[in-house]
């Protein structure tokens, strides 16, 4: 069997049918995970589990293909799964950055508490609170101040919860073996 070379971002020298099938399956898993009902807090704040699918993709595909898959999922989510939603490219940029961060922290690495907490803090602060709040400000003008406090509270609550969920999911023995077996 020929050895396929890859760089530090996970780009591979020869993209095969196997890689396409794995990416398709990971995209499907990402979609299925997004169907798990989120926890609704009030009318504005919802905590979902889609991040688990993105983290799973990053662990298997690496930063480069994790980014591609996150962008592809964002497009599919807006144009196919939820065609009535408004498309805003800033959220696609956030999705891409999230896919990259998950891939950089999880690809060919151990899933320990410290790594997961740093990764989830980075995603929460830079993407969820930072960039996504900026996109809301651009979209809604001054009205975004009304939704900012609940978003801050939601993210402060979800950070430790998401870290715990991700730790137990990624360290579940059969899923951990699967990740190690099929990753690029």
């Amino acid at each position: 069997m020929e050895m396929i070379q890859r760089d530090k971002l996970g780009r591979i020298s020869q993209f095969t049918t196997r890689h396409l099938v794995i990416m398709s399956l990971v995209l499907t898993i990402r979609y299925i995970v997004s169907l798990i009902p989120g926890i609704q807090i009030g009318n504005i704040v919802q905590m979902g589990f889609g991040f688990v699918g993105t983290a799973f993709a990053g662990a298997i595909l690496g930063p480069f293909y994790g980014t591609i898959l996150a962008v592809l999922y964002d497009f599919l989510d807006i144009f196919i799964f939820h065609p009535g939603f408004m498309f805003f490219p800033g959220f696609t940029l956030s999705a891409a950055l999230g896919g990259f961060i998950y891939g950089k922290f999880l690809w060919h690495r151990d899933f320990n508490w410290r790594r997961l907490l740093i990764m989830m803090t980075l995603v929460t602060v830079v993407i969820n609170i930072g960039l996504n709040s900026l996109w809301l400000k651009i979209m809604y003008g001054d009205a975004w101040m009304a939704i900012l406090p609940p978003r801050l509270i939601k993210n402060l609550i979800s950070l430790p919860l998401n870290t715990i969920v991700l730790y137990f999911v990624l360290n579940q023995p059969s899923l951990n073996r699967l990740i190690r077996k099929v990753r690029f």
Side-chain angles (χ1 to χ4, degrees), residues 39 41 45-49 51-52 101-102 113-129 150-168:
I39 301 166
I41 302 172
V45 177
Q46 178 178 352
M47 289 191 281
F49 299 99
F51 72 96
V52 174
I101 290 170
Y102 286 122
W113 284 110
R114 182 175 178 267
R115 172 173 280 110
L116 294 178
L117 182 60
I118 292 169
M119 177 189 70
M120 292 308 300
T121 301
L122 188 62
V123 167
T124 299
V125 171
V126 173
I127 298 172
N128 298 347
I129 295 173
R151 286 178 48 77
L152 289 172
I153 293 168
K154 176 253 185 195
N155 279 286
L156 290 174
I157 293 169
S158 67
L159 173 61
L161 295 176
N162 289 353
T163 304
I164 291 167
V165 166
L166 205 52
Y167 177 82
F168 286 109

Side-chain angles (χ1 to χ4, degrees), residues 135-146:
W135 309 144
L136 292 171
K137 167 101 172 104
I138 291 169
M139 290 172 64
Y140 299 114
D142 290 335
W144 78 286
M145 284 303 291

Side-chain angles (χ1 to χ4, degrees), residues 30-127:
R30 169 64 180 94
Y31 174 69
I32 290 169
V33 169
S34 75
L35 295 176
I36 298 172
I39 301 166
Q40 189 76 26
I41 302 172
N43 292 332
I44 299 172
V45 177
Q46 178 178 352
M47 289 191 281
F49 299 99
F51 72 96
V52 174
T54 307
F56 184 72
I60 290 178
L61 304 174
F64 181 74
Y65 294 107
T67 300
I68 290 172
L69 191 114
V71 169
L72 181 60
Y73 178 79
D74 189 65
F75 285 137
L76 290 173
D77 188 45
I78 290 296
F79 296 116
I80 295 176
F81 306 142
H82 299 102
F85 285 20
M86 186 174 106
F87 174 74
F88 184 77
F91 291 114
T92 303
L93 177 63
S94 292
L97 185 56
F100 180 82
I101 290 170
Y102 286 122
K104 195 70 174 162
F105 275 82
L106 299 176
W107 185 60
H108 288 280
R109 311 259 168 122
D110 291 331
F111 309 130
N112 61 50
W113 284 110
R114 182 175 178 267
R115 172 173 280 110
L116 294 178
L117 182 60
I118 292 169
M119 177 189 70
M120 292 308 300
T121 301
L122 188 62
V123 167
T124 299
V125 171
V126 173
I127 298 172

